[in-house]
Amino acid sequence: MSSKDVLILITNDDGVAAEGMIELSKSLKGLGDLVVFAPDGPRSGMSSAITSTMPVTYTLLRREEGLTVYSCTGTPVDCVKLAINEVLHRKPDLLVSGINHGGNQAICVHYSGTMGAVIEGCVFSVPSLGVSLADYTPGADFSEACRLGRRVAGQVLKHGLPQGTYLNLNVPNVSPVKGIAVCRQASGRWVNEFYRTQGPDGKPHYWLTGEFVNRGPVYPDSDTQRLSEGYASLVPGLIDVTDYAFMETLKTWDGLNL
């Protein structure tokens, strides 16, 4: 398939005007016809949320050779659904979500709007990739995330992905990155998640914060470990979350055999 026949859908959860989105769009030029369909503002932490109690709308922002940009009033998943169902003339050959301004490693995949969009693309049987930069600071340098995101996107276009499998690429805040390490998702959780203040009404107000703590054992091929060593982590995920091994144990529980 030549690049002129390739259709790539780009979205994110930081909003259509986010620097990571702009830089990603630039970096993917030449791989195919690019359509950006992204939220009109930040939607971080939306996971796979959808809008069901009000209408969702979209606006064409600009169209140029090889690139069309839309903004949408919905969530990242709304963007994927609306683009594929109503806006694109055919199903895209690739979905890329990002570049997220901040990491989406380990348990973050369950909270992330970036990865929610990726999972939704996978639901539509579109090969889907999330790209995140593990740097929350203003003025972050997206160049390495762009370089590696393009490389992985090109490989997905070349080889495809198995049905029900998506990819999660996280890039550390180092230059140059040592390489791409195929990893497992780290096990851990957030602790000290809220910062408490007193509001003007005298009631306690809680601000989401916290720190991530790995839960043992810490495997050498986990995404958080490889990122700490200066490698980009590439984790394949599945939309089927069934625990097949435990299914057999569950069948032996006496109280379930009615």
Side-chain angles (χ1 to χ4, degrees):
M1 182 184 295
S2 82
S3 61
K4 66 181 180 181
D5 299 319
V6 173
L7 178 61
I8 301 175
L9 175 61
I10 303 172
T11 191
N12 72 352
D13 73 354
D14 288 330
V16 70
E19 184 180 357
M21 164 67 74
I22 295 169
E23 294 303 314
L24 176 64
S25 300
K26 292 177 182 177
S27 71
L28 295 181
K29 283 187 175 180
L31 289 182
D33 189 20
L34 309 180
V35 177
V36 170
F37 204 100
D40 57 8
R43 302 287 194 278
S44 293
M46 284 288 182
S47 186
S48 291
I50 55 175
T51 302
S52 60
T53 59
M54 63 185 69
V56 176
T57 64
Y58 71 93
T59 302
L60 173 63
L61 298 182
R62 73 178 189 275
R63 180 176 282 129
E64 59 191 59
E65 183 66 30
L67 175 65
T68 305
V69 180
Y70 299 92
S71 68
C72 175
T73 60
T75 68
V77 168
D78 289 332
C79 290
V80 175
K81 286 182 177 292
L82 192 58
I84 293 177
N85 280 304
E86 300 291 337
V87 179
L88 300 179
H89 66 281
R90 66 173 179 86
K91 190 167 71 173
D93 302 293
L94 174 68
L95 180 148
V96 185
S97 183
I99 297 170
N100 192 66
H101 195 162
N104 277 315
Q105 64 271 36
I107 200 173
C108 292
V109 71
H110 296 290
Y111 304 124
S112 166
T114 301
M115 295 309 298
V118 170
I119 292 169
E120 189 64 22
C122 193
V123 169
F124 279 94
S125 299
V126 176
S128 299
L129 162 70
V131 185
S132 302
L133 174 64
D135 182 3
Y136 295 93
T137 61
D141 182 359
F142 289 92
S143 57
E144 285 291 85
C146 285
R147 179 177 69 86
L148 297 178
R150 180 186 173 92
R151 177 180 296 181
V152 175
Q155 289 299 300
V156 173
L157 286 171
K158 179 179 180 180
H159 298 287
L161 290 175
Q163 178 71 28
T165 297
Y166 59 87
L167 296 180
N168 181 18
L169 175 67
N170 280 274
V171 180
N173 181 29
V174 298
S175 183
V177 173
K178 292 181 179 178
I180 298 174
V182 176
C183 299
R184 69 175 75 194
Q185 180 180 309
S187 176
R189 57 156 295 177
W190 293 92
V191 298
N192 303 320
E193 292 188 85
F194 289 96
Y195 174 68
R196 177 175 171 170
T197 62
Q198 183 172 314
D201 55 3
K203 296 181 179 179
H205 287 197
Y206 297 91
W207 300 82
L208 189 63
T209 176
E211 58 180 311
F212 181 81
V213 177
N214 273 315
R215 185 171 58 192
V218 177
Y219 294 102
D221 62 343
S222 67
D223 51 8
T224 55
Q225 182 64 30
R226 299 301 268 161
L227 284 164
S228 71
E229 296 168 353
Y231 291 87
S233 64
L234 184 63
V235 177
L238 293 169
I239 56 174
D240 182 353
V241 296
T242 306
D243 187 337
Y244 289 98
F246 188 64
M247 275 179 61
E248 301 310 309
T249 300
L250 202 56
K251 291 174 184 177
T252 69
W253 289 13
D254 293 339
L256 298 183
N257 297 319
L258 301 179

